[in-house]
């Protein structure tokens, strides 16, 4: 984990680094169509470049996830984790050769679409 204050990260984020996100409906449609390549390309975190400047070792983690076959990978929040998206037919994480010092990797699954309330539309 990073030893930083979230306020410091917010203060370093230039307005020009902000990026609009695709509409939620478009992401839901891609999920339902199993278009994981599209979803991987949409992965974004506005803090990523700023945090990578402070903690370059996170770049190695992101790059290693992509090398292992993730369709996309990005920072979560202000730097507690890096997350990657694997296609259903990707090799299991347990079979990876993970050689990044001071970093562990863990495979998790998303909730199925049948899970009630997994997407909530805000009017």
């Amino acid at each position: 984990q990073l030893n930083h204050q979230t306020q410091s990260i917010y203060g370093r984020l230039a307005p020009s680094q902000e990026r609009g996100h695709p509409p939620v409906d478009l992401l839901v449609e891609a999920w339902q169509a199993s278009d994981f390549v599209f979803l991987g390309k949409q992965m974004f975190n506005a803090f990523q470049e700023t945090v990578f400047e402070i903690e370059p070792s996170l770049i190695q983690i992101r790059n290693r996830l992509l090398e292992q076959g993730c369709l996309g990978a990005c920072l979560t929040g202000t730097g507690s984790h890096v997350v990657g998206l694997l296609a259903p037919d990707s090799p299991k994480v347990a079979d990876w050769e993970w050689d990044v010092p001071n970093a562990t990797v863990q495979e998790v699954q998303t909730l199925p679409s049948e899970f009630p309330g997994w997407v909530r539309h805000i009017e």
Side-chain angles (χ1 to χ4, degrees):
Q1 289 193 357
L2 293 176
N3 293 321
H4 69 269
Q5 295 178 333
T6 300
Q7 183 179 8
S8 170
I9 300 299
Y10 276 96
R12 290 175 174 235
L13 184 64
S16 63
Q17 290 177 285
E18 294 177 10
R19 178 182 134 180
H21 295 278
V24 172
D25 290 344
L26 185 60
L27 295 175
V28 170
E29 287 174 23
W31 184 267
Q32 291 170 338
S34 299
D35 189 349
F36 301 111
V37 172
F38 174 81
L39 292 169
K41 289 178 181 178
Q42 301 307 310
M43 294 178 72
F44 171 76
N45 183 313
F47 295 106
Q48 184 165 288
E49 296 307 316
T50 301
V51 173
F52 284 177
E53 288 175 12
I54 296 168
E55 190 59 54
S57 65
L58 294 174
I59 297 169
Q60 180 184 13
I61 295 169
R62 179 183 181 269
N63 289 344
R64 192 69 179 121
L65 288 170
L66 294 170
E67 290 166 6
Q68 291 291 340
C70 287
L71 301 172
C74 69
L75 192 72
T76 63
T78 55
S80 62
H81 296 82
V82 178
V83 63
L85 176 66
L86 287 170
D89 59 351
S90 296
K92 296 290 181 192
V93 170
D95 297 332
W96 290 4
E97 291 185 29
W98 187 256
D99 56 358
V100 181
N102 302 316
T104 58
V105 64
Q106 183 175 13
E107 186 170 342
V108 296
Q109 293 183 354
T110 59
L111 296 172
S113 60
E114 300 82 36
F115 184 79
W118 74 287
V119 172
R120 183 175 52 171
H121 295 277
I122 301 173
E123 299 297 326

mmCIF file of all heavy atoms in Angstrom, residues 27-65:
data_model
loop_
_atom_site.group_PDB
_atom_site.id
_atom_site.type_symbol
_atom_site.label_atom_id
_atom_site.label_comp_id
_atom_site.label_asym_id
_atom_site.label_seq_id
_atom_site.Cartn_x
_atom_site.Cartn_y
_atom_site.Cartn_z
ATOM 1 N N LEU A 27 -21.703 0.200 -20.754
ATOM 2 C CA LEU A 27 -20.901 -0.809 -20.060
ATOM 3 C C LEU A 27 -21.735 -2.050 -19.736
ATOM 4 O O LEU A 27 -21.256 -3.177 -19.871
ATOM 5 C CB LEU A 27 -20.301 -0.219 -18.788
ATOM 6 C CG LEU A 27 -19.299 0.910 -18.998
ATOM 7 C CD1 LEU A 27 -18.873 1.501 -17.666
ATOM 8 C CD2 LEU A 27 -18.105 0.449 -19.803
ATOM 9 N N VAL A 28 -22.975 -1.841 -19.318
ATOM 10 C CA VAL A 28 -23.857 -2.973 -19.019
ATOM 11 C C VAL A 28 -24.108 -3.789 -20.294
ATOM 12 O O VAL A 28 -24.050 -5.014 -20.272
ATOM 13 C CB VAL A 28 -25.190 -2.497 -18.392
ATOM 14 C CG1 VAL A 28 -26.192 -3.637 -18.300
ATOM 15 C CG2 VAL A 28 -24.932 -1.894 -17.012
ATOM 16 N N GLU A 29 -24.355 -3.101 -21.410
ATOM 17 C CA GLU A 29 -24.566 -3.807 -22.681
ATOM 18 C C GLU A 29 -23.327 -4.616 -23.063
ATOM 19 O O GLU A 29 -23.436 -5.760 -23.506
ATOM 20 C CB GLU A 29 -24.888 -2.812 -23.795
ATOM 21 C CG GLU A 29 -26.283 -2.224 -23.701
ATOM 22 C CD GLU A 29 -26.519 -1.135 -24.747
ATOM 23 O OE1 GLU A 29 -25.818 -1.122 -25.788
ATOM 24 O OE2 GLU A 29 -27.397 -0.294 -24.516
ATOM 25 N N ALA A 30 -22.145 -4.040 -22.889
ATOM 26 C CA ALA A 30 -20.907 -4.750 -23.210
ATOM 27 C C ALA A 30 -20.749 -5.961 -22.300
ATOM 28 O O ALA A 30 -20.338 -7.034 -22.744
ATOM 29 C CB ALA A 30 -19.711 -3.810 -23.074
ATOM 30 N N TRP A 31 -21.089 -5.809 -21.023
ATOM 31 C CA TRP A 31 -21.006 -6.930 -20.073
ATOM 32 C C TRP A 31 -21.952 -8.052 -20.491
ATOM 33 O O TRP A 31 -21.576 -9.210 -20.532
ATOM 34 C CB TRP A 31 -21.330 -6.432 -18.666
ATOM 35 C CG TRP A 31 -21.172 -7.494 -17.624
ATOM 36 C CD1 TRP A 31 -22.134 -8.327 -17.158
ATOM 37 C CD2 TRP A 31 -19.981 -7.848 -16.945
ATOM 38 N NE1 TRP A 31 -21.617 -9.174 -16.225
ATOM 39 C CE2 TRP A 31 -20.291 -8.899 -16.066
ATOM 40 C CE3 TRP A 31 -18.678 -7.373 -16.984
ATOM 41 C CZ2 TRP A 31 -19.345 -9.485 -15.243
ATOM 42 C CZ3 TRP A 31 -17.737 -7.956 -16.157
ATOM 43 C CH2 TRP A 31 -18.074 -8.999 -15.301
ATOM 44 N N GLN A 32 -23.183 -7.680 -20.810
ATOM 45 C CA GLN A 32 -24.172 -8.679 -21.208
ATOM 46 C C GLN A 32 -23.781 -9.381 -22.505
ATOM 47 O O GLN A 32 -24.093 -10.549 -22.704
ATOM 48 C CB GLN A 32 -25.553 -8.034 -21.337
ATOM 49 C CG GLN A 32 -26.118 -7.613 -20.002
ATOM 50 C CD GLN A 32 -27.380 -6.763 -20.116
ATOM 51 O OE1 GLN A 32 -27.640 -6.144 -21.137
ATOM 52 N NE2 GLN A 32 -28.150 -6.720 -19.038
ATOM 53 N N ALA A 33 -23.065 -8.681 -23.382
ATOM 54 C CA ALA A 33 -22.625 -9.253 -24.650
ATOM 55 C C ALA A 33 -21.277 -9.972 -24.503
ATOM 56 O O ALA A 33 -20.731 -10.463 -25.491
ATOM 57 C CB ALA A 33 -22.514 -8.159 -25.704
ATOM 58 N N SER A 34 -20.754 -10.017 -23.290
ATOM 59 C CA SER A 34 -19.446 -10.622 -23.023
ATOM 60 C C SER A 34 -18.341 -9.974 -23.841
ATOM 61 O O SER A 34 -17.388 -10.634 -24.256
ATOM 62 C CB SER A 34 -19.469 -12.134 -23.267
ATOM 63 O OG SER A 34 -20.402 -12.744 -22.407
ATOM 64 N N ASP A 35 -18.450 -8.669 -24.063
ATOM 65 C CA ASP A 35 -17.425 -7.928 -24.803
ATOM 66 C C ASP A 35 -16.357 -7.453 -23.813
ATOM 67 O O ASP A 35 -16.257 -6.287 -23.472
ATOM 68 C CB ASP A 35 -18.047 -6.744 -25.549
ATOM 69 C CG ASP A 35 -17.074 -6.074 -26.500
ATOM 70 O OD1 ASP A 35 -15.862 -6.386 -26.446
ATOM 71 O OD2 ASP A 35 -17.526 -5.227 -27.298
ATOM 72 N N PHE A 36 -15.556 -8.406 -23.355
ATOM 73 C CA PHE A 36 -14.566 -8.114 -22.332
ATOM 74 C C PHE A 36 -13.411 -7.272 -22.863
ATOM 75 O O PHE A 36 -12.789 -6.534 -22.115
ATOM 76 C CB PHE A 36 -14.065 -9.414 -21.705
ATOM 77 C CG PHE A 36 -15.173 -10.208 -21.077
ATOM 78 C CD1 PHE A 36 -15.581 -11.400 -21.637
ATOM 79 C CD2 PHE A 36 -15.816 -9.739 -19.946
ATOM 80 C CE1 PHE A 36 -16.622 -12.129 -21.066
ATOM 81 C CE2 PHE A 36 -16.861 -10.453 -19.370
ATOM 82 C CZ PHE A 36 -17.255 -11.657 -19.933
ATOM 83 N N VAL A 37 -13.134 -7.367 -24.154
ATOM 84 C CA VAL A 37 -12.083 -6.533 -24.742
ATOM 85 C C VAL A 37 -12.478 -5.059 -24.614
ATOM 86 O O VAL A 37 -11.679 -4.221 -24.192
ATOM 87 C CB VAL A 37 -11.820 -6.933 -26.214
ATOM 88 C CG1 VAL A 37 -10.875 -5.944 -26.882
ATOM 89 C CG2 VAL A 37 -11.255 -8.347 -26.288
ATOM 90 N N PHE A 38 -13.728 -4.747 -24.963
ATOM 91 C CA PHE A 38 -14.221 -3.375 -24.824
ATOM 92 C C PHE A 38 -14.137 -2.922 -23.366
ATOM 93 O O PHE A 38 -13.661 -1.832 -23.069
ATOM 94 C CB PHE A 38 -15.665 -3.267 -25.327
ATOM 95 C CG PHE A 38 -16.289 -1.919 -25.092
ATOM 96 C CD1 PHE A 38 -16.038 -0.865 -25.951
ATOM 97 C CD2 PHE A 38 -17.107 -1.699 -23.992
ATOM 98 C CE1 PHE A 38 -16.593 0.391 -25.731
ATOM 99 C CE2 PHE A 38 -17.673 -0.460 -23.756
ATOM 100 C CZ PHE A 38 -17.414 0.597 -24.633
ATOM 101 N N LEU A 39 -14.591 -3.770 -22.459
ATOM 102 C CA LEU A 39 -14.574 -3.410 -21.047
ATOM 103 C C LEU A 39 -13.149 -3.169 -20.556
ATOM 104 O O LEU A 39 -12.896 -2.226 -19.809
ATOM 105 C CB LEU A 39 -15.256 -4.496 -20.214
ATOM 106 C CG LEU A 39 -16.757 -4.621 -20.426
ATOM 107 C CD1 LEU A 39 -17.283 -5.888 -19.768
ATOM 108 C CD2 LEU A 39 -17.490 -3.391 -19.909
ATOM 109 N N GLY A 40 -12.221 -4.014 -20.986
ATOM 110 C CA GLY A 40 -10.825 -3.835 -20.589
ATOM 111 C C GLY A 40 -10.266 -2.508 -21.058
ATOM 112 O O GLY A 40 -9.531 -1.833 -20.331
ATOM 113 N N LYS A 41 -10.647 -2.098 -22.257
ATOM 114 C CA LYS A 41 -10.166 -0.822 -22.807
ATOM 115 C C LYS A 41 -10.769 0.377 -22.076
ATOM 116 O O LYS A 41 -10.221 1.486 -22.133
ATOM 117 C CB LYS A 41 -10.476 -0.731 -24.296
ATOM 118 C CG LYS A 41 -9.627 -1.669 -25.118
ATOM 119 C CD LYS A 41 -9.989 -1.579 -26.582
ATOM 120 C CE LYS A 41 -9.137 -2.549 -27.390
ATOM 121 N NZ LYS A 41 -9.473 -2.531 -28.809
ATOM 122 N N GLN A 42 -11.890 0.182 -21.401
ATOM 123 C CA GLN A 42 -12.549 1.279 -20.691
ATOM 124 C C GLN A 42 -11.997 1.491 -19.284
ATOM 125 O O GLN A 42 -12.336 2.470 -18.631
ATOM 126 C CB GLN A 42 -14.057 1.034 -20.609
ATOM 127 C CG GLN A 42 -14.742 0.909 -21.952
ATOM 128 C CD GLN A 42 -14.445 2.075 -22.870
ATOM 129 O OE1 GLN A 42 -14.568 3.233 -22.497
ATOM 130 N NE2 GLN A 42 -14.021 1.768 -24.082
ATOM 131 N N MET A 43 -11.171 0.584 -18.812
ATOM 132 C CA MET A 43 -10.658 0.694 -17.443
ATOM 133 C C MET A 43 -9.799 1.948 -17.316
ATOM 134 O O MET A 43 -8.882 2.172 -18.105
ATOM 135 C CB MET A 43 -9.871 -0.560 -17.072
ATOM 136 C CG MET A 43 -10.758 -1.791 -17.000
ATOM 137 S SD MET A 43 -9.860 -3.293 -16.615
ATOM 138 C CE MET A 43 -9.466 -3.000 -14.885
ATOM 139 N N PHE A 44 -10.122 2.760 -16.327
ATOM 140 C CA PHE A 44 -9.475 4.061 -16.190
ATOM 141 C C PHE A 44 -9.555 4.518 -14.744
ATOM 142 O O PHE A 44 -10.522 4.236 -14.046
ATOM 143 C CB PHE A 44 -10.187 5.078 -17.092
ATOM 144 C CG PHE A 44 -9.742 6.485 -16.880
ATOM 145 C CD1 PHE A 44 -8.528 6.918 -17.375
ATOM 146 C CD2 PHE A 44 -10.531 7.371 -16.178
ATOM 147 C CE1 PHE A 44 -8.106 8.224 -17.173
ATOM 148 C CE2 PHE A 44 -10.127 8.679 -15.969
ATOM 149 C CZ PHE A 44 -8.910 9.111 -16.470
ATOM 150 N N ASN A 45 -8.524 5.202 -14.308
ATOM 151 C CA ASN A 45 -8.525 5.836 -12.997
ATOM 152 C C ASN A 45 -7.830 7.182 -13.147
ATOM 153 O O ASN A 45 -6.665 7.241 -13.566
ATOM 154 C CB ASN A 45 -7.783 4.963 -11.979
ATOM 155 C CG ASN A 45 -7.812 5.552 -10.586
ATOM 156 O OD1 ASN A 45 -7.559 6.734 -10.396
ATOM 157 N ND2 ASN A 45 -8.118 4.732 -9.618
ATOM 158 N N ALA A 46 -8.539 8.254 -12.833
ATOM 159 C CA ALA A 46 -7.998 9.601 -13.007
ATOM 160 C C ALA A 46 -6.750 9.843 -12.162
ATOM 161 O O ALA A 46 -5.920 10.685 -12.501
ATOM 162 C CB ALA A 46 -9.074 10.636 -12.655
ATOM 163 N N PHE A 47 -6.584 9.108 -11.080
ATOM 164 C CA PHE A 47 -5.430 9.298 -10.207
ATOM 165 C C PHE A 47 -4.203 8.504 -10.659
ATOM 166 O O PHE A 47 -3.119 8.685 -10.129
ATOM 167 C CB PHE A 47 -5.770 8.863 -8.776
ATOM 168 C CG PHE A 47 -6.812 9.704 -8.132
ATOM 169 C CD1 PHE A 47 -8.093 9.218 -7.961
ATOM 170 C CD2 PHE A 47 -6.532 10.981 -7.701
ATOM 171 C CE1 PHE A 47 -9.074 9.990 -7.366
ATOM 172 C CE2 PHE A 47 -7.498 11.762 -7.105
ATOM 173 C CZ PHE A 47 -8.772 11.270 -6.932
ATOM 174 N N GLN A 48 -4.381 7.608 -11.611
ATOM 175 C CA GLN A 48 -3.341 6.640 -11.928
ATOM 176 C C GLN A 48 -1.991 7.282 -12.261
ATOM 177 O O GLN A 48 -0.970 6.918 -11.674
ATOM 178 C CB GLN A 48 -3.802 5.741 -13.071
ATOM 179 C CG GLN A 48 -2.829 4.641 -13.397
ATOM 180 C CD GLN A 48 -3.454 3.585 -14.256
ATOM 181 O OE1 GLN A 48 -4.278 2.833 -13.757
ATOM 182 N NE2 GLN A 48 -3.090 3.534 -15.520
ATOM 183 N N GLU A 49 -1.951 8.206 -13.202
ATOM 184 C CA GLU A 49 -0.670 8.786 -13.603
ATOM 185 C C GLU A 49 -0.013 9.533 -12.445
ATOM 186 O O GLU A 49 1.200 9.450 -12.247
ATOM 187 C CB GLU A 49 -0.838 9.692 -14.819
ATOM 188 C CG GLU A 49 -1.301 8.939 -16.060
ATOM 189 C CD GLU A 49 -0.433 7.734 -16.397
ATOM 190 O OE1 GLU A 49 0.809 7.831 -16.341
ATOM 191 O OE2 GLU A 49 -1.015 6.665 -16.713
ATOM 192 N N THR A 50 -0.814 10.233 -11.673
ATOM 193 C CA THR A 50 -0.283 10.966 -10.518
ATOM 194 C C THR A 50 0.308 10.010 -9.496
ATOM 195 O O THR A 50 1.409 10.208 -8.995
ATOM 196 C CB THR A 50 -1.402 11.816 -9.868
ATOM 197 O OG1 THR A 50 -1.912 12.721 -10.849
ATOM 198 C CG2 THR A 50 -0.889 12.584 -8.679
ATOM 199 N N VAL A 51 -0.413 8.939 -9.183
ATOM 200 C CA VAL A 51 0.057 7.966 -8.195
ATOM 201 C C VAL A 51 1.274 7.216 -8.730
ATOM 202 O O VAL A 51 2.225 6.948 -7.996
ATOM 203 C CB VAL A 51 -1.076 6.995 -7.795
ATOM 204 C CG1 VAL A 51 -0.554 5.878 -6.911
ATOM 205 C CG2 VAL A 51 -2.182 7.759 -7.079
ATOM 206 N N PHE A 52 1.299 6.901 -10.023
ATOM 207 C CA PHE A 52 2.450 6.225 -10.603
ATOM 208 C C PHE A 52 3.716 7.066 -10.486
ATOM 209 O O PHE A 52 4.813 6.532 -10.350
ATOM 210 C CB PHE A 52 2.192 5.868 -12.065
ATOM 211 C CG PHE A 52 1.283 4.678 -12.272
ATOM 212 C CD1 PHE A 52 0.931 4.293 -13.549
ATOM 213 C CD2 PHE A 52 0.778 3.947 -11.212
ATOM 214 C CE1 PHE A 52 0.107 3.190 -13.765
ATOM 215 C CE2 PHE A 52 -0.059 2.854 -11.408
ATOM 216 C CZ PHE A 52 -0.394 2.481 -12.690
ATOM 217 N N GLU A 53 3.577 8.390 -10.548
ATOM 218 C CA GLU A 53 4.735 9.262 -10.362
ATOM 219 C C GLU A 53 5.274 9.148 -8.938
ATOM 220 O O GLU A 53 6.478 9.176 -8.710
ATOM 221 C CB GLU A 53 4.362 10.714 -10.652
ATOM 222 C CG GLU A 53 4.129 11.011 -12.119
ATOM 223 C CD GLU A 53 3.652 12.432 -12.358
ATOM 224 O OE1 GLU A 53 3.709 13.270 -11.422
ATOM 225 O OE2 GLU A 53 3.212 12.703 -13.485
ATOM 226 N N ILE A 54 4.369 9.015 -7.980
ATOM 227 C CA ILE A 54 4.759 8.916 -6.574
ATOM 228 C C ILE A 54 5.293 7.522 -6.257
ATOM 229 O O ILE A 54 6.246 7.361 -5.502
ATOM 230 C CB ILE A 54 3.548 9.239 -5.667
ATOM 231 C CG1 ILE A 54 3.104 10.682 -5.880
ATOM 232 C CG2 ILE A 54 3.883 8.985 -4.196
ATOM 233 C CD1 ILE A 54 1.759 10.999 -5.263
ATOM 234 N N GLU A 55 4.664 6.504 -6.841
ATOM 235 C CA GLU A 55 5.010 5.111 -6.536
ATOM 236 C C GLU A 55 5.182 4.329 -7.842
ATOM 237 O O GLU A 55 4.283 3.609 -8.273
ATOM 238 C CB GLU A 55 3.916 4.484 -5.668
ATOM 239 C CG GLU A 55 4.273 3.147 -5.097
ATOM 240 C CD GLU A 55 5.511 3.166 -4.221
ATOM 241 O OE1 GLU A 55 5.568 3.957 -3.273
ATOM 242 O OE2 GLU A 55 6.431 2.384 -4.513
ATOM 243 N N PRO A 56 6.368 4.462 -8.487
ATOM 244 C CA PRO A 56 6.586 3.813 -9.787
ATOM 245 C C PRO A 56 6.485 2.287 -9.756
ATOM 246 O O PRO A 56 6.246 1.667 -10.795
ATOM 247 C CB PRO A 56 7.998 4.242 -10.180
ATOM 248 C CG PRO A 56 8.342 5.384 -9.306
ATOM 249 C CD PRO A 56 7.488 5.288 -8.084
ATOM 250 N N SER A 57 6.633 1.664 -8.604
ATOM 251 C CA SER A 57 6.535 0.203 -8.538
ATOM 252 C C SER A 57 5.141 -0.277 -8.955
ATOM 253 O O SER A 57 4.978 -1.423 -9.401
ATOM 254 C CB SER A 57 6.872 -0.308 -7.140
ATOM 255 O OG SER A 57 5.916 0.152 -6.197
ATOM 256 N N LEU A 58 4.138 0.578 -8.847
ATOM 257 C CA LEU A 58 2.789 0.201 -9.263
ATOM 258 C C LEU A 58 2.686 0.044 -10.776
ATOM 259 O O LEU A 58 1.861 -0.715 -11.269
ATOM 260 C CB LEU A 58 1.767 1.217 -8.756
ATOM 261 C CG LEU A 58 1.593 1.278 -7.240
ATOM 262 C CD1 LEU A 58 0.671 2.414 -6.854
ATOM 263 C CD2 LEU A 58 1.086 -0.042 -6.704
ATOM 264 N N ILE A 59 3.559 0.742 -11.508
ATOM 265 C CA ILE A 59 3.586 0.590 -12.963
ATOM 266 C C ILE A 59 3.981 -0.841 -13.307
ATOM 267 O O ILE A 59 3.412 -1.458 -14.208
ATOM 268 C CB ILE A 59 4.566 1.598 -13.604
ATOM 269 C CG1 ILE A 59 4.110 3.035 -13.334
ATOM 270 C CG2 ILE A 59 4.699 1.344 -15.102
ATOM 271 C CD1 ILE A 59 5.139 4.084 -13.705
ATOM 272 N N GLN A 60 4.960 -1.370 -12.585
ATOM 273 C CA GLN A 60 5.412 -2.740 -12.820
ATOM 274 C C GLN A 60 4.265 -3.731 -12.585
ATOM 275 O O GLN A 60 4.085 -4.673 -13.347
ATOM 276 C CB GLN A 60 6.592 -3.081 -11.918
ATOM 277 C CG GLN A 60 7.104 -4.485 -12.108
ATOM 278 C CD GLN A 60 8.222 -4.850 -11.137
ATOM 279 O OE1 GLN A 60 8.479 -4.156 -10.168
ATOM 280 N NE2 GLN A 60 8.872 -5.968 -11.406
ATOM 281 N N ILE A 61 3.485 -3.499 -11.554
ATOM 282 C CA ILE A 61 2.355 -4.387 -11.266
ATOM 283 C C ILE A 61 1.335 -4.325 -12.393
ATOM 284 O O ILE A 61 0.885 -5.355 -12.900
ATOM 285 C CB ILE A 61 1.708 -4.031 -9.907
ATOM 286 C CG1 ILE A 61 2.711 -4.284 -8.774
ATOM 287 C CG2 ILE A 61 0.423 -4.810 -9.700
ATOM 288 C CD1 ILE A 61 2.275 -3.737 -7.444
ATOM 289 N N ARG A 62 0.991 -3.116 -12.813
ATOM 290 C CA ARG A 62 0.024 -2.964 -13.909
ATOM 291 C C ARG A 62 0.540 -3.639 -15.170
ATOM 292 O O ARG A 62 -0.173 -4.400 -15.828
ATOM 293 C CB ARG A 62 -0.256 -1.490 -14.187
ATOM 294 C CG ARG A 62 -1.246 -1.307 -15.329
ATOM 295 C CD ARG A 62 -1.456 0.181 -15.648
ATOM 296 N NE ARG A 62 -2.413 0.328 -16.707
ATOM 297 C CZ ARG A 62 -2.084 0.372 -18.009
ATOM 298 N NH1 ARG A 62 -0.836 0.267 -18.393
ATOM 299 N NH2 ARG A 62 -3.015 0.522 -18.921
ATOM 300 N N ASN A 63 1.791 -3.383 -15.524
ATOM 301 C CA ASN A 63 2.360 -3.975 -16.734
ATOM 302 C C ASN A 63 2.397 -5.499 -16.645
ATOM 303 O O ASN A 63 2.130 -6.187 -17.625
ATOM 304 C CB ASN A 63 3.756 -3.419 -17.001
ATOM 305 C CG ASN A 63 3.716 -1.977 -17.441
ATOM 306 O OD1 ASN A 63 2.689 -1.448 -17.836
ATOM 307 N ND2 ASN A 63 4.854 -1.310 -17.361
ATOM 308 N N ARG A 64 2.700 -6.016 -15.490
ATOM 309 C CA ARG A 64 2.761 -7.477 -15.321
ATOM 310 C C ARG A 64 1.374 -8.095 -15.494
ATOM 311 O O ARG A 64 1.232 -9.163 -16.078
ATOM 312 C CB ARG A 64 3.349 -7.818 -13.954
ATOM 313 C CG ARG A 64 3.714 -9.258 -13.798
ATOM 314 C CD ARG A 64 4.914 -9.604 -14.688
ATOM 315 N NE ARG A 64 5.253 -10.996 -14.481
ATOM 316 C CZ ARG A 64 5.259 -11.910 -15.446
ATOM 317 N NH1 ARG A 64 4.986 -11.576 -16.689
ATOM 318 N NH2 ARG A 64 5.542 -13.151 -15.181
ATOM 319 N N LEU A 65 0.337 -7.425 -14.982
ATOM 320 C CA LEU A 65 -1.033 -7.911 -15.186
ATOM 321 C C LEU A 65 -1.368 -7.978 -16.671
ATOM 322 O O LEU A 65 -1.949 -8.959 -17.146
ATOM 323 C CB LEU A 65 -2.035 -7.017 -14.454
ATOM 324 C CG LEU A 65 -2.051 -7.119 -12.936
ATOM 325 C CD1 LEU A 65 -2.906 -6.012 -12.334
ATOM 326 C CD2 LEU A 65 -2.539 -8.479 -12.482
#
